[in-house]
Amino acid sequence: MTAYHDSGPLGDYELDHLVSLELGGSNDAANLWPEHNDHPPGAINSKDLVENALNKAICTRRVPLAAAQVAIATDWTTALTRLGLPPTR
């Protein structure tokens, strides 16, 4: 949390992969970060929806794996737009 200059309550965060495992990311510490929970209990984070959409785009050959990895690692909130994919619902 300190490395990310965040001091919020730990219960408001989850340890997340910068590049998700489904997009070829690893469990290496350099690929992990504290993701703020932006969802009500029992729901998934907005980033998870982006990861799922990118995985589908890769599997259907709409987007190359490397492009998806760069886009999500650079800024997951703009990854779909940067790759010309529709927003998640």
Side-chain angles (χ1 to χ4, degrees), residues 2-67:
T2 303
Y4 286 91
H5 308 287
D6 219 324
S7 60
L10 290 179
D12 289 348
Y13 294 81
E14 67 179 74
L15 189 60
D16 190 50
H17 297 90
L18 181 61
V19 176
S20 67
L21 298 177
E22 68 185 306
L23 300 178
S26 72
N27 285 321
D28 185 83
N31 190 46
L32 298 174
W33 67 294
E35 178 184 12
H36 187 263
N37 292 321
D38 68 353
H39 58 82
I44 65 173
N45 268 336
S46 300
K47 183 174 180 271
D48 296 336
L49 297 173
V50 173
E51 293 167 351
N52 294 343
L54 289 174
N55 179 270
K56 183 177 179 180
I58 292 163
C59 290
T60 59
R61 301 188 190 282
R62 289 185 65 198
V63 172
L65 174 60

